Amino acid sequence: MNELPPCVLPRRRLVRCFLAVCLVLQVVGLCIGCARYDKFNSDWVVAAVSVAELSLMSLPYLLLLVPCRTSSISLVQVAGLVFPLGTALWACLGCWTSHVEDSMVALAYVMGMGLFMVGFIYAYPVMFVLGMLAHQWRNRRKRMP
């Protein structure tokens, strides 16, 4: 069986620890945001949408936790950490506004979180394909005399 490259295991540990920290920050920020924007005291439909939003926010974490066996894909995972970091920072910093009564602030908060999610959905597959092409190119160069 092929042995993992030496750079894959430290990157895997970095990705796991970084995702754990970002997830905790994101959940805390989203809970503070829901409390500040009065989502807990609203009707059950809004509460259900908030729970669905929280479950959709775990998409980058699930895709970045998929184990990789090549150094190219582990580098793509490290580059993909920008998206969980962005959502965690937006979740923590976006809820500390001074005018909570304004509905546009809540809309900007939710749209900022959605922007990071849409960016991840479109950018990560492209990054993954480029990582696979780099891996194939590296293997082809190794086999050439």
Side-chain angles (χ1 to χ4, degrees), residues 83 112-124:
F83 296 104
M113 293 295 287
L115 186 67
F116 280 109
M117 291 305 300
V118 169
F120 180 79
I121 289 170
Y122 285 116
Y124 190 71

Side-chain angles (χ1 to χ4, degrees), residues 9 26 100-101 111 124 130:
L9 290 176
Q26 184 174 342
V100 179
E101 295 83 21
M111 287 181 73
Y124 190 71
L130 289 175

Side-chain angles (χ1 to χ4, degrees), residues 24-99:
V24 167
L25 287 174
Q26 184 174 342
V27 167
V28 167
L30 286 174
C31 288
I32 292 171
C34 287
R36 282 183 64 91
Y37 298 129
D38 204 25
K39 297 294 181 190
F40 293 132
N41 295 332
S42 55
D43 61 348
W44 66 272
V45 175
V46 175
V49 169
S50 298
V51 170
E53 175 187 320
L54 286 174
S55 64
L56 282 177
M57 293 299 153
S58 65
L59 179 67
Y61 298 98
L62 295 175
L63 287 177
L64 288 172
L65 281 176
V66 173
C68 59
R69 303 211 38 93
T70 65
S71 61
S72 300
I73 300 301
S74 69
L75 185 63
V76 168
Q77 280 185 334
V78 171
L81 291 177
V82 169
F83 296 104
L85 176 65
T87 56
L89 286 177
W90 187 261
C92 288
L93 298 176
C95 62
W96 294 106
T97 59
S98 59
H99 302 292

